[in-house]
DNA sequence: GCTGGCACTCGACTGTAGCGAGTGCCAGTC
DNA sequence: GACTGGCACTCGCTACAGTCGAGTGCCAGC
C-alpha cells in the first residue's frame, strides 16, 4: 500500500506523458523524459506495484502502461500542480467576453470560448430559474382570451408562456392583473413563489378570480414544476481529436448523451458551491459516458452560484489545464453578471 | 446520351439497393432483387453506359457500382416515387407536437421529432425576425439608467436586449417611451422598421429625445442589423450510424460545420417559398459538407414562410423518405403556428 | 438487341515470419 | 535492502505471399 514519493512521481510522469502523447508509456521513455534519477529497471518495479494497486494497467503484455480511472483520480487529487493560464489565454477570455449584449450572448460566447480554450466539449447552464429573483412580469394581450406572460429574472433570463384564459378579459383587468402579480412577486426568489402565487388568487377581486387562477397555474407550472433549465453546448467537433482512440472507437454513446439535457444538467449542475468538480471515467452515473471525464464548476455574480459550466472530454485529458480554464472562465462570467 | 427506360430503371434499382445495403451493388444481385426482365450481362452493358455518363462509379475494379452525386440527382429529380408516410409516422408527428406550450417548446419538439423520424441530423430555424411583425414592445426599468427592451413578435419569438441610457430617466418618461414605441411599431414588419424607428426620434418630445435616440439605436441593431437568427439542432448521434463508411471515415468536418450557425442557415434557410430543396454532395457550397446531403423546406402558418427546417445526412440517404418527412413535419408545424 | 460463357481484375482474407518495444525476473553491486 | 544491468520472453504490428470470389468487360451466338 505504501506509495512512496518516487512511485507517485512515476505515476505523475505516466499520466503527463500519456496525456501528451496518447501512447502507452514505457519505462525507458519515462526515465529519458523525466529526471527520475533511477534506471528503467527500478521504474519497472515501481510500475509493477502501481499496477497491482490499480493505478495503471497494460493494454497488452508487450505494451507500456496507461493510467486507469483510479490513477487519474489520484493524479488529480494529489499530484497535479496548478497550471496558471498563459497571458494569451487570459487575453482571449477577456476579449471574448467583452461586448456581450445580453444573457444569450454571454452564454453563447462563454460556451464557445470554453470549447476553444480547452479543446473539449463545453457546456454552460443558463442561470437557473430556481436561483433567480423575479424582476418583472409582463402580461401582453394577444387576443381577448389569450395572454402572453413574460417573466424577466434578475439574472437576465427571460421566459415566456402563452396563457389561454377561461373567459375574455378586458384591457383594464389585464392592467390590474399585471399590477397585482408584480406587486406580489417582484423581488422574490423563484423557488419560494408557490405560496405567494397561491395568495395572489385568494386576495384578488372576485371578477379577476378566474383569470388569476389560470394565470397562477401557468406561473407555477412554468416557474417551479417544469423548472426550465437551459443549456448551451459547443465543441462537439473536438471529440474527434485523437482519432478514434479515445472513446474506444465510437462517438455514438457520447453524442447521444450530449443530446440529453437531463444528463448534462446532472453532470455540470452545481452541487456544493464554488468547488470545482472532476468526474473521471465511470465515476459518473451514465453508462454512455464511461469513457469520458467532466470538469465543472458553478458560476454566478459575486460569491453566489446561479448555474454551472464545464467541459467534457476523454479520460485522457489535461486535467490541470482544464480545471484552470474552467475556473477562470467561471470567474470572468461571474464578474460579467455582477455588472448587470 | 440516350438513357432509355431500362437504364433509368437500373439506376433507380442501384440507388435503392445501395441506400438499403450500403454496399456496392453488382449486376447479378440487381436482377435477382428487381424484376428487370433481362440478364445480368445486359444490365452490365447498361451499367457501363451509366458509368460513362457519370451517374454511377466503381469504387474499385472488382466491385459493384455506387451512385455518384449526379446519379442521386437524377434519381431525386426523375426517378424517385413519393413515399407516403406510414400511419405510425403520422401518429408520431401528431403526438409529438400536441402539448407544446410556447415557441421554444415547438421548435425543440420539432427538431427532435425530425431527427427521430429521419434518423438524420435535424435543423430547425426559429421563425425569422425579418418575417415577423412586432406584437408588443416592453420596456422594463432595471435601474434609472438601464432599461431592458423586450420585443414580442407575432411569430411567438421574444427577444430582449439591455439598453444603457445616457442619463437617468424617470418612471413616467419610461411609460411615455413605451407608449410611443408601441404606437409606432406594433404591427409593422420588422424588415420595414428602420424608417419608422427614425421617425420615432424625430417626433418625440425634446426631453425624451436622448433616451429615445439610444433606444432607437439598440432597436435597429437588435432587430435589423444583427438579424438574430436562431437555430435548434438534434440527432448528431445519427451521424455515427453506418459505421465510418459514410463521410469517408471522419465526422470532424461535419461536426465542425454543424457548429456554424451561418452554414446551417445557408443550408436550410428557405429561398423560394414552399419548395422542398435537396442539396446533394458537393452541390452545397461548403467543403466540409462535400459528403453530405441536405433536404430542407420552408414552414410557416398558412401559406406564408417564416423559417426553414430540414435534415442533413450522408449522400447515401433515403431521399424519398426524408423528403416526405420534412414536408410533413413542416406542414404540421405550420398548422400549429397558425393556431396562435 | 439480348444472352451465356469465359478470362481477367483486384480487394478481402488468411497464414507465416521477422521486428521491436516493453516487460518480469534474477543475480550482482553499493 | 535498494538499485541496476542483463537477459529471456511476450505479443502487437507490419510485410508478404497465396487463395478466394464477387464482379466485370468482351465476344460469339441466337
Amino acid at each position: 500500500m505504501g506509495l512512496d514519493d518516487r512511485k507517485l512521481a512515476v505515476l505523475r510522469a505516466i499520466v503527463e506523458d500519456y496525456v501528451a502523447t496518447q501512447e502507452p508509456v514505457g519505462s525507458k521513455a519515462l526515465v529519458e523524459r523525466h529526471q527520475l534519477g533511477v534506471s528503467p529497471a527500478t521504474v519497472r518495479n515501481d510500475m509493477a506495484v502501481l499496477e497491482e494497486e490499480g493505478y495503471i494497467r497494460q493494454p497488452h503484455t508487450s505494451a507500456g502502461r496507461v493510467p486507469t480511472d483510479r490513477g487519474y483520480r489520484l493524479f488529480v487529487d494529489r499530484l497535479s500542480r496548478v497550471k496558471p493560464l498563459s497571458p494569451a489565454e487570459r487575453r482571449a477570455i477577456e476579449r471574448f467576453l467583452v461586448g456581450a449584449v445580453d444573457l444569450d450572448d454571454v452564454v453563447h460566447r462563454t460556451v464557445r470560448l470554453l470549447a476553444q480554450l480547452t479543446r473539449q466539449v463545453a457546456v454552460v447552464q443558463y442561470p437557473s430559474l430556481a436561483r433567480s429573483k423575479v424582476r418583472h412580469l409582463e402580461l401582453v394581450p394577444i387576443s381577448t382570451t389569450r395572454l402572453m406572460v413574460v417573466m424577466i429574472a434578475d439574472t437576465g433570463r427571460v421566459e415566456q408562456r402563452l396563457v389561454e384564459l377561461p373567459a375574455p378579459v378586458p384591457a383594464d383587468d389585464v392592467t390590474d392583473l399585471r399590477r397585482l402579480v408584480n406587486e406580489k412577486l417582484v423581488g422574490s426568489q423563484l423557488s419560494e413563489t408557490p405560496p405567494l402565487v397561491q395568495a395572489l388568487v385568494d386576495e384578488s377581486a372576485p371578477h379577476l378570480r378566474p383569470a388569476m387562477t389560470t394565470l397562477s397555474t401557468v406561473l407555477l407550472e412554468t416557474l417551479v414544476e417544469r423548472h426550465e433549465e437551459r443549456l448551451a453546448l459547443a465543441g462537439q467537433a473536438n471529440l474527434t481529436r485523437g482519432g478514434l482512440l479515445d472513446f474506444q472507437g465510437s462517438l455514438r454513446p457520447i453524442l447521444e448523451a450530449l443530446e440529453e439535457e437531463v444528463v448534462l444538467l446532472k453532470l455540470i449542475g452545481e452541487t456544493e458551491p464554488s468547488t470545482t468538480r472532476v468526474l473521471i471515467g465511470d465515476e459518473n452515473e451514465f453508462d454512455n459516458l464511461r469513457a469520458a471525464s467532466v470538469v465543472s464548476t458553478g458560476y454566478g455574480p459575486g460569491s453566489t452560484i446561479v448555474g454551472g459550466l464545464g467541459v467534457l472530454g476523454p479520460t485522457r485529458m489535461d486535467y490541470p489545464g482544464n480545471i484552470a480554464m474552467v475556473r477562470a472562465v467561471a470567474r470572468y462570467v461571474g464578474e460579467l453578471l455582477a455588472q448587470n
Side-chain angles (χ1 to χ4, degrees), chain A:
Chain A
M1 231 6 161
L3 289 188
D4 57 36
D5 284 355
R6 199 189 54 219
K7 290 192 184 59
L8 292 178
V10 168
L11 177 57
R12 173 195 287 153
I14 291 174
V15 172
E16 288 177 354
D17 274 20
Y18 182 63
V19 166
T21 65
Q22 201 162 166
E23 268 165 20
V25 11
S27 54
K28 195 171 148 218
L30 255 196
V31 293
E32 274 168 15
R33 303 185 35 160
H34 298 78
Q35 287 75 35
L36 292 172
V38 289
S39 78
T42 310
V43 170
R44 283 205 286 282
N45 288 330
D46 291 349
M47 283 174 155
V49 175
L50 287 168
E51 180 154 18
E52 209 170 317
E53 303 278 339
Y55 295 112
I56 56 178
R57 65 185 178 80
Q58 270 182 295
H60 25 260
T61 318
S62 68
R65 300 311 216 287
V66 162
T68 60
D69 289 356
R70 190 163 176 223
Y72 285 122
R73 169 51 61 198
L74 184 60
F75 174 81
V76 167
D77 287 347
R78 297 185 42 201
L79 302 176
S80 64
R81 10 199 175 199
V82 184
K83 192 184 277 185
L85 296 203
S86 73
E89 288 164 342
R90 223 166 266 287
R91 249 179 292 122
I93 296 180
E94 284 169 28
R95 203 179 40 221
F96 224 84
L97 294 180
V98 294
V101 295
D102 63 13
L103 182 66
D104 257 317
D105 209 11
V106 169
V107 170
H108 281 119
R109 282 169 188 244
T110 304
V111 76
R112 292 186 88 110
L113 170 67
L114 251 186
Q116 191 185 305
L117 283 176
T118 62
R119 317 263 262 136
Q120 309 288 351
V121 178
V123 192
V124 176
Q125 176 192 9
Y126 276 68
S128 166
L129 278 188
R131 313 211 175 201
S132 304
K133 286 179 183 161
V134 179
R135 180 175 271 160
H136 182 79
L137 281 162
E138 185 55 37
L139 308 183
V140 181
I142 302 298
S143 71
T144 52
T145 61
R146 279 189 156 169
L147 230 47
M148 176 167 273
V149 188
V150 180
M151 192 208 64
I152 301 170
D154 63 345
T155 45
R157 273 190 71 176
V158 177
E159 292 293 319
Q160 70 273 13
R161 179 81 187 267
L162 214 56
V163 181
E164 206 77 43
L165 297 170
V169 175
D172 283 356
D173 287 2
V174 172
T175 310
D176 288 345
L177 286 170
R178 180 183 302 123
R179 191 174 36 74
L180 283 170
V181 293
N182 274 292
E183 274 171 7
K184 266 291 182 209
L185 299 180
V186 165
S188 64
Q189 190 88 13
L190 270 176
S191 48
E192 301 159 357
T193 43
L196 296 176
V197 172
Q198 187 49 49
L200 264 175
V201 179
D202 299 342
E203 295 171 15
S204 52
H207 70 288
L208 294 177
R209 261 311 148 82
M212 188 60 100
T213 308
T214 316
L215 187 54
S216 72
T217 313
V218 170
L219 282 176
L220 283 179
E221 254 180 55
T222 312
L223 309 184
V224 188
E225 289 164 29
R226 201 173 135 254
H227 38 72
E228 279 267 6
E229 297 296 353
R230 294 191 60 184
L231 289 171
L233 198 65
Q236 275 116 312
N238 288 330
L239 291 173
T240 60
R241 291 189 319 127
L244 301 167
L245 294 163
D246 306 323
F247 311 121
Q248 60 234 28
S250 172
L251 290 185
R252 181 109 223 222
I254 311 285
L255 287 173
E256 275 173 358
L258 291 179
E259 293 200 38
E260 295 295 332
E261 299 221 329
V262 195
V263 171
L264 293 177
L265 276 173
K266 282 217 174 174
L267 290 178
I268 64 135
E270 14 57 70
T271 42
E272 316 88 46
S274 83
T275 328
T276 306
R277 193 159 50 135
V278 181
L279 286 172
I280 297 167
D282 58 13
E283 288 174 6
N284 78 66
E285 57 189 298
F286 305 103
D287 283 355
N288 277 2
L289 296 177
R290 285 260 170 83
S293 285
V294 177
V295 176
S296 66
T297 192
Y299 72 89
S303 59
T304 57
I305 303 286
V306 297
L309 56 78
V311 298
L312 180 151
T315 47
R316 179 202 64 71
M317 65 157 65
D318 171 17
Y319 292 97
N322 289 343
I323 290 171
M325 310 269 199
V326 164
R327 276 196 187 140
V329 170
R331 194 171 57 245
Y332 274 90
V333 174
E335 286 170 17
L336 208 61
L337 289 182
Q339 287 167 26
N340 295 1

